[in-house]
Amino acid sequence: MTTLAPASTTLLRDALAVLQPGFVGTTAPDWLLRRLDDGLTSVGLFGRNIESPEQLTALTAQLRAVRPDVLVAIDEEGGDVTRLEVRNGSSFPGNLALGAVDDPELTRTVAQELGRRLAACGVNLNWAPSADVNSNPDNPVIGVRSFGADPELVARHTAAYVEGMQAAGVAACTKHFPGHGDTNVDSHHALPRIDVGLATLGVRELVPFRAAVAAGSKVVMSAHILLPALDADRPATLSHAALTGLLRASAERGGLGFDGLIVTDAVEMSAIADTHGIERGTVLALAAGADAICVGGNLADEDIVLRLRDAVVRAVQEGELPAERLADAAARVRDLADWTRRAAARPLPEPAPEDAEVGLTAARRAVRVTQGPTPFVPCEEPVYVAACTPVANNAVGDETPWGLAAELTRLLPGTGTGSWSQTEAEALGVPALAGQVLAEAGDRRIVAVVRDAHRHSWMAAALDALLAARPDTVVVEMGLPQASPVGAPHIATHGAARVCARAAAEVVAGRRADG
């Protein structure tokens, strides 16, 4: 902790109020409880903090015993990005599956049921939905997290998601402003750049964010992306032109007129940490118009909280950050906390019986089957599942399981499985990899499972080799179905959530898992 000139209690509390830190463990550490008492108003939860709904409920109760109005945030998109079910896979499909169905009422119901489950565990701020228009199919970090590539489709589902989530009393956080869909770089690792003009931005990236603002989204999350048309020097998270001049500005001045809370994406991501530094990035973000600083996915201890608090206090004392700007940001955080507290006091509508299974219903509706040269006859005997497994991006994480093996084994006992990575494929060579799959499969039908095959040449080559040897191979694409369909048949799930796997397994076996 750095040495500071004496600071008022108000200044110290405001500096803590604008932070949204994480921590390690399934119970709140003593340091976190002390800082909540000192003015910290928000806490971010990650998969490492969650073991079960019961444990999560006890954890949020522990936090509220110190600060009843605490904002408990989570990154629960459903689909590939889940924290509630990080070790088992989500009971809800992600955005791409919902966009493929294109039934906004279904999206609203899915979001409300997901929100209801979060609220029941004491979570009141969800860092979702992603409103990014996935205009670049090679995007390494958005993909199935987007509702699709059409701005109007993304807009209507973003609005429906916001309405459903907030109907459950959980604040929605629309991200990643002003749009992360046209990038080919993951901002966890470097600073992406989008070279489009303001006209393109207005008719593409901003369309879903305008819909989210109109739907009443309580929070918007900024993206660590450089858009020279807006700001040639600073990424949106640190840009006054992006956050104040565009997001906050009124419609009459060409802005979105957003009056809620602006939170940054995690400041320890390389796009900020490696270009400006975490402390400096925090101060610049607040000065640009951000109200809350997300941190703690990787840096999750008291030291980072105190470092950022002290950086903010020092910036105010030295005149770099106006005290009024910090006070405004802290007030917006407390206003949101007040909204969530009042929302939690309202009785929620009882879910309909079918709502408990709405995630599976949506996943089944999202499946798309392209027949091969001959009509597909469902498998009645055990199969062999060959999974080509890419490296998971940081938003998804590698602890969340994916694939079809578990679900197909339930339906077809005796099913076998194998998994290959790019490293293994390149070490073996594609012919040897295909030979291994064929040898392990024996006389069982092969079900090849891929994820974003269009982005991974080794996957496409492995599929070609398998189909040349075994033309009856079933291909299941659990990522973005951008490549031309191949297989007998080709099954696109539009996501790798557990319910997406179950829906695909039901197609392969020709029957539902529940009967």
Side-chain angles (χ1 to χ4, degrees), residues 168-201:
V170 177
C173 174
T174 305
K175 62 188 184 184
H176 307 81
F177 181 84
H180 209 309
D182 192 26
T183 61
N184 57 11
V185 172
D186 184 344
S187 52
H188 291 89
H189 303 302
L191 177 62
R193 176 186 175 110
I194 299 180
D195 285 303
V196 300
L198 293 178
T200 299
L201 196 69

Short mmCIF file of all heavy atoms in Angstrom, two decimals, residues 168-201:
data_model
loop_
_atom_site.label_atom_id
_atom_site.label_comp_id
_atom_site.label_asym_id
_atom_site.label_seq_id
_atom_site.Cartn_x
_atom_site.Cartn_y
_atom_site.Cartn_z
N ALA A 168 -36.58 -10.30 -13.03
CA ALA A 168 -36.26 -11.17 -11.91
C ALA A 168 -35.57 -10.43 -10.77
O ALA A 168 -35.17 -11.05 -9.78
CB ALA A 168 -35.37 -12.32 -12.39
N GLY A 169 -35.41 -9.11 -10.92
CA GLY A 169 -34.80 -8.32 -9.86
C GLY A 169 -33.29 -8.30 -9.91
O GLY A 169 -32.64 -7.86 -8.95
N VAL A 170 -32.71 -8.75 -11.02
CA VAL A 170 -31.25 -8.75 -11.19
C VAL A 170 -30.89 -7.72 -12.24
O VAL A 170 -31.44 -7.75 -13.36
CB VAL A 170 -30.75 -10.14 -11.60
CG1 VAL A 170 -29.25 -10.13 -11.86
CG2 VAL A 170 -31.10 -11.18 -10.53
N ALA A 171 -29.98 -6.82 -11.92
CA ALA A 171 -29.57 -5.79 -12.87
C ALA A 171 -28.81 -6.42 -14.03
O ALA A 171 -27.89 -7.22 -13.82
CB ALA A 171 -28.70 -4.75 -12.18
N ALA A 172 -29.21 -6.08 -15.25
CA ALA A 172 -28.50 -6.54 -16.44
C ALA A 172 -27.36 -5.59 -16.75
O ALA A 172 -27.45 -4.39 -16.52
CB ALA A 172 -29.46 -6.62 -17.62
N CYS A 173 -26.28 -6.14 -17.29
CA CYS A 173 -25.11 -5.36 -17.69
C CYS A 173 -24.84 -5.66 -19.16
O CYS A 173 -24.30 -6.72 -19.49
CB CYS A 173 -23.91 -5.72 -16.83
SG CYS A 173 -22.37 -4.93 -17.34
N THR A 174 -25.21 -4.75 -20.03
CA THR A 174 -25.06 -4.96 -21.46
C THR A 174 -23.62 -4.66 -21.86
O THR A 174 -23.07 -3.61 -21.54
CB THR A 174 -26.04 -4.04 -22.22
OG1 THR A 174 -27.37 -4.29 -21.75
CG2 THR A 174 -25.99 -4.32 -23.70
N LYS A 175 -23.01 -5.57 -22.59
CA LYS A 175 -21.59 -5.47 -22.90
C LYS A 175 -21.35 -5.89 -24.36
O LYS A 175 -22.23 -6.52 -24.96
CB LYS A 175 -20.75 -6.33 -21.94
CG LYS A 175 -21.07 -7.83 -22.03
CD LYS A 175 -20.37 -8.60 -20.93
CE LYS A 175 -20.62 -10.10 -21.10
NZ LYS A 175 -20.05 -10.89 -20.00
N HIS A 176 -20.23 -5.58 -24.97
CA HIS A 176 -19.07 -4.84 -24.52
C HIS A 176 -19.05 -3.54 -25.34
O HIS A 176 -18.63 -3.59 -26.52
CB HIS A 176 -17.79 -5.62 -24.74
CG HIS A 176 -17.79 -7.01 -24.16
ND1 HIS A 176 -18.38 -8.09 -24.79
CD2 HIS A 176 -17.28 -7.48 -22.99
CE1 HIS A 176 -18.21 -9.18 -24.05
NE2 HIS A 176 -17.55 -8.84 -22.95
N PHE A 177 -19.50 -2.45 -24.78
CA PHE A 177 -19.67 -1.18 -25.49
C PHE A 177 -18.32 -0.62 -25.95
O PHE A 177 -17.37 -0.60 -25.16
CB PHE A 177 -20.36 -0.17 -24.58
CG PHE A 177 -20.59 1.16 -25.23
CD1 PHE A 177 -21.70 1.36 -26.03
CD2 PHE A 177 -19.69 2.20 -25.08
CE1 PHE A 177 -21.90 2.58 -26.66
CE2 PHE A 177 -19.88 3.43 -25.70
CZ PHE A 177 -21.00 3.61 -26.50
N PRO A 178 -18.25 -0.13 -27.18
CA PRO A 178 -19.32 0.02 -28.18
C PRO A 178 -19.46 -1.13 -29.15
O PRO A 178 -20.06 -0.96 -30.22
CB PRO A 178 -18.90 1.30 -28.91
CG PRO A 178 -17.42 1.28 -28.87
CD PRO A 178 -17.05 0.65 -27.56
N GLY A 179 -18.95 -2.31 -28.82
CA GLY A 179 -19.13 -3.49 -29.65
C GLY A 179 -17.83 -4.18 -29.95
O GLY A 179 -16.91 -3.58 -30.52
N HIS A 180 -17.73 -5.46 -29.57
CA HIS A 180 -16.50 -6.24 -29.67
C HIS A 180 -16.57 -7.26 -30.81
O HIS A 180 -15.72 -8.13 -30.94
CB HIS A 180 -16.27 -6.98 -28.34
CG HIS A 180 -14.84 -7.24 -27.99
ND1 HIS A 180 -13.94 -7.84 -28.85
CD2 HIS A 180 -14.14 -6.99 -26.85
CE1 HIS A 180 -12.77 -7.96 -28.25
NE2 HIS A 180 -12.85 -7.45 -27.04
N GLY A 181 -17.60 -7.18 -31.64
CA GLY A 181 -17.84 -8.25 -32.60
C GLY A 181 -16.96 -8.24 -33.83
O GLY A 181 -16.80 -9.27 -34.48
N ASP A 182 -16.37 -7.10 -34.18
CA ASP A 182 -15.59 -7.01 -35.41
C ASP A 182 -14.09 -7.05 -35.11
O ASP A 182 -13.28 -6.47 -35.84
CB ASP A 182 -15.93 -5.71 -36.16
CG ASP A 182 -15.36 -5.71 -37.58
OD1 ASP A 182 -15.16 -6.80 -38.13
OD2 ASP A 182 -15.11 -4.62 -38.11
N THR A 183 -13.71 -7.75 -34.06
CA THR A 183 -12.29 -7.84 -33.71
C THR A 183 -11.73 -9.21 -34.09
O THR A 183 -12.46 -10.20 -34.14
CB THR A 183 -12.06 -7.61 -32.20
OG1 THR A 183 -12.76 -8.62 -31.47
CG2 THR A 183 -12.59 -6.25 -31.78
N ASN A 184 -10.44 -9.27 -34.31
CA ASN A 184 -9.77 -10.57 -34.51
C ASN A 184 -8.71 -10.80 -33.44
O ASN A 184 -7.85 -11.66 -33.59
CB ASN A 184 -9.15 -10.65 -35.91
CG ASN A 184 -8.17 -9.53 -36.19
OD1 ASN A 184 -7.78 -8.80 -35.28
ND2 ASN A 184 -7.76 -9.38 -37.44
N VAL A 185 -8.80 -10.01 -32.37
CA VAL A 185 -7.88 -10.11 -31.23
C VAL A 185 -8.71 -10.22 -29.96
O VAL A 185 -9.73 -9.54 -29.81
CB VAL A 185 -6.95 -8.87 -31.16
CG1 VAL A 185 -6.14 -8.87 -29.88
CG2 VAL A 185 -6.04 -8.83 -32.38
N ASP A 186 -8.28 -11.07 -29.04
CA ASP A 186 -8.93 -11.21 -27.74
C ASP A 186 -8.34 -10.16 -26.80
O ASP A 186 -7.13 -10.14 -26.55
CB ASP A 186 -8.67 -12.62 -27.19
CG ASP A 186 -9.37 -12.90 -25.88
OD1 ASP A 186 -9.83 -11.96 -25.21
OD2 ASP A 186 -9.46 -14.09 -25.51
N SER A 187 -9.19 -9.26 -26.26
CA SER A 187 -8.69 -8.18 -25.42
C SER A 187 -8.15 -8.68 -24.08
O SER A 187 -7.55 -7.91 -23.33
CB SER A 187 -9.78 -7.13 -25.19
OG SER A 187 -10.97 -7.72 -24.73
N HIS A 188 -8.35 -9.96 -23.76
CA HIS A 188 -7.67 -10.52 -22.59
C HIS A 188 -6.16 -10.54 -22.82
O HIS A 188 -5.38 -10.51 -21.86
CB HIS A 188 -8.15 -11.95 -22.33
CG HIS A 188 -9.56 -12.04 -21.84
ND1 HIS A 188 -10.63 -12.15 -22.68
CD2 HIS A 188 -10.08 -12.03 -20.59
CE1 HIS A 188 -11.75 -12.23 -21.99
NE2 HIS A 188 -11.45 -12.13 -20.72
N HIS A 189 -5.75 -10.61 -24.10
CA HIS A 189 -4.34 -10.80 -24.42
C HIS A 189 -3.67 -9.60 -25.07
O HIS A 189 -2.45 -9.45 -25.00
CB HIS A 189 -4.19 -12.02 -25.35
CG HIS A 189 -4.77 -13.27 -24.79
ND1 HIS A 189 -4.36 -13.81 -23.59
CD2 HIS A 189 -5.75 -14.09 -25.26
CE1 HIS A 189 -5.05 -14.92 -23.34
NE2 HIS A 189 -5.90 -15.10 -24.33
N ALA A 190 -4.44 -8.76 -25.76
CA ALA A 190 -3.86 -7.61 -26.46
C ALA A 190 -4.98 -6.60 -26.72
O ALA A 190 -6.14 -6.85 -26.39
CB ALA A 190 -3.21 -8.05 -27.78
N LEU A 191 -4.61 -5.47 -27.30
CA LEU A 191 -5.58 -4.40 -27.56
C LEU A 191 -6.14 -4.54 -28.98
O LEU A 191 -5.42 -4.31 -29.96
CB LEU A 191 -4.91 -3.03 -27.39
CG LEU A 191 -5.79 -1.81 -27.71
CD1 LEU A 191 -6.98 -1.76 -26.76
CD2 LEU A 191 -4.97 -0.53 -27.61
N PRO A 192 -7.42 -4.90 -29.11
CA PRO A 192 -8.01 -4.99 -30.44
C PRO A 192 -8.26 -3.59 -31.02
O PRO A 192 -8.42 -2.62 -30.28
CB PRO A 192 -9.34 -5.71 -30.20
CG PRO A 192 -9.28 -6.23 -28.80
CD PRO A 192 -8.36 -5.33 -28.06
N ARG A 193 -8.33 -3.54 -32.33
CA ARG A 193 -8.57 -2.28 -33.04
C ARG A 193 -9.66 -2.52 -34.09
O ARG A 193 -9.61 -3.52 -34.82
CB ARG A 193 -7.28 -1.82 -33.71
CG ARG A 193 -7.40 -0.56 -34.56
CD ARG A 193 -6.08 -0.30 -35.28
NE ARG A 193 -6.16 0.83 -36.19
CZ ARG A 193 -5.56 2.00 -36.00
NH1 ARG A 193 -4.82 2.19 -34.94
NH2 ARG A 193 -5.68 2.97 -36.90
N ILE A 194 -10.63 -1.61 -34.15
CA ILE A 194 -11.70 -1.70 -35.14
C ILE A 194 -11.63 -0.45 -36.01
O ILE A 194 -11.89 0.66 -35.53
CB ILE A 194 -13.08 -1.84 -34.50
CG1 ILE A 194 -13.16 -3.12 -33.64
CG2 ILE A 194 -14.17 -1.87 -35.56
CD1 ILE A 194 -14.50 -3.33 -32.97
N ASP A 195 -11.30 -0.65 -37.27
CA ASP A 195 -11.16 0.49 -38.18
C ASP A 195 -12.41 0.64 -39.03
O ASP A 195 -12.43 0.28 -40.21
CB ASP A 195 -9.92 0.30 -39.06
CG ASP A 195 -8.63 0.55 -38.30
OD1 ASP A 195 -8.48 1.66 -37.76
OD2 ASP A 195 -7.80 -0.37 -38.23
N VAL A 196 -13.46 1.15 -38.43
CA VAL A 196 -14.67 1.46 -39.17
C VAL A 196 -15.06 2.90 -38.86
O VAL A 196 -14.69 3.45 -37.82
CB VAL A 196 -15.85 0.51 -38.82
CG1 VAL A 196 -15.49 -0.92 -39.14
CG2 VAL A 196 -16.25 0.66 -37.36
N GLY A 197 -15.80 3.51 -39.77
CA GLY A 197 -16.23 4.88 -39.57
C GLY A 197 -17.42 4.97 -38.64
O GLY A 197 -18.06 3.96 -38.30
N LEU A 198 -17.73 6.19 -38.24
CA LEU A 198 -18.87 6.41 -37.34
C LEU A 198 -20.18 5.98 -37.97
O LEU A 198 -21.09 5.51 -37.26
CB LEU A 198 -18.93 7.88 -36.93
CG LEU A 198 -17.77 8.39 -36.06
CD1 LEU A 198 -17.94 9.87 -35.77
CD2 LEU A 198 -17.70 7.60 -34.75
N ALA A 199 -20.30 6.10 -39.28
CA ALA A 199 -21.54 5.69 -39.94
C ALA A 199 -21.76 4.19 -39.79
O ALA A 199 -22.87 3.74 -39.46
CB ALA A 199 -21.50 6.08 -41.42
N THR A 200 -20.71 3.40 -40.01
CA THR A 200 -20.82 1.95 -39.83
C THR A 200 -21.10 1.61 -38.38
O THR A 200 -21.94 0.75 -38.08
CB THR A 200 -19.52 1.26 -40.29
OG1 THR A 200 -19.32 1.52 -41.68
CG2 THR A 200 -19.60 -0.25 -40.07
N LEU A 201 -20.42 2.27 -37.48
CA LEU A 201 -20.64 2.04 -36.05
C LEU A 201 -22.11 2.28 -35.71
O LEU A 201 -22.73 1.51 -34.96
CB LEU A 201 -19.75 2.97 -35.24
CG LEU A 201 -19.53 2.66 -33.77
CD1 LEU A 201 -18.71 1.40 -33.60
CD2 LEU A 201 -18.83 3.83 -33.07
#
